[in-house]
Amino acid sequence: MSLINVKVSKVTHEAEGVRSFLLRKTGLFKLPAYEPGAHIDVHCGEGIIRQYSLCGDPSDRNHYLIAVKQVECSRGGSDLMHLSVQQGDRLEIGSPRNNFPLDLNASHTVLLAGGIGITPIIAMADHLQTLGRSFELHYFSRGQEHTAFRKRLLSGSFAARVSIFEGLDVIETKQKLSAILESPKRQTQVYICGPGPFMETTENLALDKIPASDVKLERFGTNLAVASGPTAPFRVELARTGTTLDVGAEETILDVLEAHGIDAAFSCEQGVCGTCVTRVLEGEPDHRDSFLSPKQRRANQRICLCVSRSKSPKLVLEL
Ligand code: FES
């Protein structure tokens, strides 16, 4: 996919450890159109590519807005964006992709965000407001200083539909989410984005009340505890050629494919973006990504080649 050159036209402190970057086009052509929920690959420098949701105005084809949280266990991307990237710098980005599209057939939409998960959610709220749709937005953050886009949420055109919950503990958060999801209206759809534990709690509560097809999630950030779990060698067979390759304890499937000159699409290499997802024809994957849904994991028909491993001695992949 060809890359797009942009210039960082503004950097804003949005909350403790969160900076937004307004990226302006540099060429004659407008930036590619996108819909709420979309993200872009950002080439942060030093060969590191990270995915960030677009959280600005989709009708502004001259700019993209992203927000980046500096994470403690950064594998380089968020540190580079916070410590190296400055106003006036040039960056390369990919075209928008959308793994978290908004379905406009819902009679009511409940948007639930935790922490930096507000980024795709705020874009959805803007869009629903513009279209005059029925929706509500609930945003959970660790405290006021951690609430990104606070002013935009509380003084914007949809402020009356926004609830912000700051500084709740785990039990209080669960109680609040239970109350929000207690009596959903007919044909309600729920969109959830946030850190892993928030996603799990919210998804489970939502699935108690709402059909799974109406509960949509976007996961982000590597679950390091899972991604770095025990490793053991295994074997992969590539169904198209019958080639068999050994994956050592310290290698990923993607490493081994690359080492043998076999092309496989990838981007984040963190199990987040879904670019490397491949069909599994035989064997039981050991899922370590943050991209596939629990239902997709249970089905064991797809695997993220960049982080996931195998519980069975061999996996047969559609490659
Ligand atoms: Fe992003 Fe594997 S490359 S999930």
Side-chain angles (χ1 to χ4, degrees):
M1 193 185 292
S2 62
L3 296 176
I4 302 165
N5 290 298
V6 289
K7 188 170 179 180
V8 179
S9 66
K10 192 173 175 193
V11 181
T12 306
H13 172 89
E14 297 288 355
E16 189 69 37
V18 179
R19 299 172 99 193
S20 70
F21 298 82
L22 187 65
L23 310 175
R24 183 163 57 78
K25 73 182 181 77
T26 55
L28 291 175
F29 299 107
K30 292 192 180 304
L31 293 168
Y34 70 93
E35 295 192 342
H39 68 270
I40 52 170
D41 287 349
V42 176
H43 293 242
C44 309
E46 300 178 10
I48 294 175
I49 304 170
R50 291 290 178 265
Q51 289 67 42
Y52 298 112
S53 295
L54 292 166
C55 50
D57 174 5
S59 68
D60 179 358
R61 300 278 304 278
N62 294 323
H63 297 93
Y64 287 156
L65 181 70
I66 58 170
V68 180
K69 179 177 169 61
Q70 189 172 25
V71 290
E72 268 173 37
C73 47
S74 169
R75 294 173 65 189
S78 74
D79 272 354
L80 278 170
M81 293 300 289
H82 273 257
L83 304 175
S84 302
V85 177
Q86 304 292 339
Q87 186 173 328
D89 285 355
R90 286 172 186 262
L91 290 174
E92 287 184 325
I93 61 171
S95 290
R97 288 180 288 159
N98 202 345
N99 298 327
F100 193 38
L102 190 56
D103 181 345
L104 296 174
N105 292 316
S107 61
H108 182 70
T109 301
V110 178
L111 303 172
L112 299 169
I116 194 64
I118 189 63
T119 49
I121 294 293
I122 198 171
M124 290 177 169
D126 263 333
H127 194 57
L128 291 166
Q129 176 70 13
T130 302
L131 297 178
R133 297 304 181 94
S134 169
F135 77 97
E136 59 196 276
L137 187 164
H138 305 277
Y139 178 20
F140 294 77
S141 91
R142 283 164 56 201
Q144 187 170 328
E145 67 280 18
H146 294 277
T147 307
F149 302 115
R150 197 169 195 280
K151 192 165 163 212
R152 179 172 154 193
L153 288 164
L154 292 180
S155 58
S157 58
F158 55 83
R161 300 167 188 257
V162 174
S163 308
I164 299 181
F165 305 102
E166 293 166 330
L168 302 190
D169 64 24
V170 174
I171 293 168
E172 290 167 334
T173 300
K174 191 169 177 186
Q175 286 169 344
K176 197 58 82 179
L177 286 164
S178 298
I180 292 165
L181 295 164
E182 180 58 33
S183 316
K185 297 176 187 165
R186 263 190 78 237
Q187 289 185 312
T188 287
Q189 292 195 352
V190 178
Y191 291 77
I192 309 167
C193 188
F198 174 84
M199 301 284 288
E200 267 166 49
T201 303
T202 314
E203 182 184 16
N204 288 334
L205 290 168
L207 290 175
D208 272 352
K209 305 282 180 185
I210 293 167
S213 56
D214 290 332
V215 178
K216 329 258 175 164
L217 304 100
E218 176 151 270
R219 294 183 161 76
F220 59 82
T222 310
N223 183 342
L224 287 176
V226 175
S228 60
T231 58
F234 59 98
R235 189 161 276 194
V236 290
E237 182 181 318
L238 312 183
R240 289 188 193 131
T241 56
T243 307
T244 302
L245 302 169
D246 290 318
V247 181
E250 303 299 321
E251 302 171 294
T252 65
I253 302 174
L254 196 58
D255 289 337
V256 173
L257 293 174
E258 277 194 307
H260 287 80
I262 297 160
D263 271 346
F266 68 92
S267 179
C268 70
E269 296 184 79
Q270 295 190 103
V272 175
C273 71
T275 307
C276 66
V277 169
T278 299
R279 272 184 69 78
V280 175
L281 303 178
E282 269 180 56
E284 187 183 359
D286 178 2
H287 297 289
R288 300 187 177 202
D289 61 282
S290 307
F291 177 78
L292 297 177
S293 68
K295 192 174 165 197
Q296 289 171 323
R297 284 156 198 245
R298 283 193 297 276
N300 276 339
Q301 291 173 344
R302 307 206 287 163
I303 186 171
C304 285
L305 302 177
C306 62
V307 289
S308 294
R309 305 188 64 81
S310 181
K311 289 182 179 167
S312 51
K314 186 172 87 172
L315 288 178
V316 182
L317 303 176
E318 191 180 60
L319 279 175

